[in-house]
Amino acid sequence: IMASYLEDYVSGPHKSATNRDFKFRRALDSFLNQTFNDAELIVVSDGCKRTSDIIKNEYSQCYPIKLIEIPKQEMFSGNVRQTGLNNAKGEIICYLDSDDYFGNNHLFIINKFNNKEYEWCYYDDYLYNGQSSVIRPSKPEHGYIGTSGICHRQNSSFKWENGYGHDWRSIEKIISKKYYKLETPEYMVCHVHGLKIDA
């Protein structure tokens, strides 16, 4: 699931990534280049004409990519990703930010989350600065886990919350469910304002 709003924004200390149209296309292409292809990418356009136009004009024949258009939501609204979740058909749900991208084997590794006794899993991601990447360790604690490091079952009790930090507020509600750490997939985080990464 991908929430997409390609306009620039500033919200307190948080700034949007630069070169957003390029990064959006890079993210879409990274999904299409997966070695595991029994998957769909649900792009939820958050009142964003640029998102809708790029998909309709350049990716309309890419059937695994599905566009859902909704009116612009408040900044950091959980309703954007929740709309994607409500429309997902796959058994396993993971997320892709519009300014990040997947390495080619990301979904192949995610698909190893096949033990029915677990409701969700987490994993390390990579910080990519435009030239090289380094593993960023993850753990199920505030400040150490987010959208780039989780997947869960479609029928889980996972629900998206509102506001900045909604990743953690959503995750902490399923901490009591059975989970485990998956071997590191290939999620490349390319924009972290506090670390001055904007690749």
Side-chain angles (χ1 to χ4, degrees):
I1 293 169
M2 177 195 290
S4 182
Y5 178 70
L6 301 180
E7 302 298 331
D8 293 334
Y9 65 83
V10 176
S11 178
H14 311 289
K15 295 181 180 179
S16 62
T18 59
N19 206 4
R20 295 177 68 75
D21 290 12
F22 163 78
K23 291 172 182 174
F24 178 57
R25 291 182 178 96
R26 178 181 66 185
L28 297 176
D29 291 343
S30 77
F31 170 78
L32 293 173
N33 290 329
Q34 291 299 293
T35 56
F36 178 87
N37 54 26
D38 184 15
E40 63 179 358
L41 176 63
I42 299 175
V43 179
V44 184
S45 174
D46 183 12
C48 180
K49 185 176 186 301
R50 284 163 61 188
T51 294
S52 299
D53 286 349
I54 289 172
I55 291 183
K56 290 175 182 177
N57 295 332
E58 302 174 34
Y59 293 86
S60 62
Q61 300 303 311
C62 301
Y63 299 110
I65 297 178
K66 298 175 178 155
L67 173 67
I68 298 176
E69 298 171 287
I70 63 173
K72 181 71 185 87
Q73 305 294 297
E74 291 184 17
M75 188 67 70
F76 304 122
S77 169
N79 187 52
V80 185
R81 288 192 181 98
Q82 189 64 43
T83 297
L85 183 54
N86 293 345
N87 285 275
K89 294 182 173 60
E91 179 185 353
I92 299 170
I93 307 295
C94 65
Y95 300 90
L96 174 58
D97 285 354
S98 63
D99 49 16
D100 295 336
Y101 72 94
F102 290 160
N104 291 348
N105 295 308
H106 182 74
L107 294 181
F108 175 79
I109 298 169
I110 291 289
N111 193 53
K112 295 179 181 180
F113 173 47
N114 55 13
N115 190 321
K116 302 293 186 186
E117 70 176 291
Y118 295 101
E119 190 159 338
W120 67 284
C121 70
Y122 72 100
Y123 40 84
D124 300 335
D125 56 25
Y126 290 84
L127 293 176
Y128 176 68
N129 65 10
Q131 297 178 344
S132 61
S133 60
V134 60
I135 290 179
R136 180 173 65 169
S138 178
K139 55 185 174 181
E141 297 177 14
H142 184 258
Y144 294 93
I145 192 170
T147 311
S148 58
I150 63 164
C151 64
H152 59 84
R153 300 203 176 281
Q154 160 66 323
N155 60 358
S156 75
S157 55
F158 195 89
K159 184 176 185 313
W160 280 96
E161 301 293 325
N162 295 320
Y164 187 78
H166 58 192
D167 293 17
W168 171 248
R169 284 196 296 277
S170 302
I171 293 166
E172 69 178 341
K173 292 186 176 180
I174 62 168
I175 288 288
S176 62
K177 308 293 184 181
K178 288 194 74 172
Y179 65 90
Y180 72 102
K181 187 170 186 179
L182 186 67
E183 67 176 280
T184 303
E186 297 176 355
Y187 190 107
M188 304 296 172
V189 176
C190 303
H191 179 75
V192 184
H193 179 68
L195 297 179
K196 297 183 179 179
I197 292 176
D198 187 22

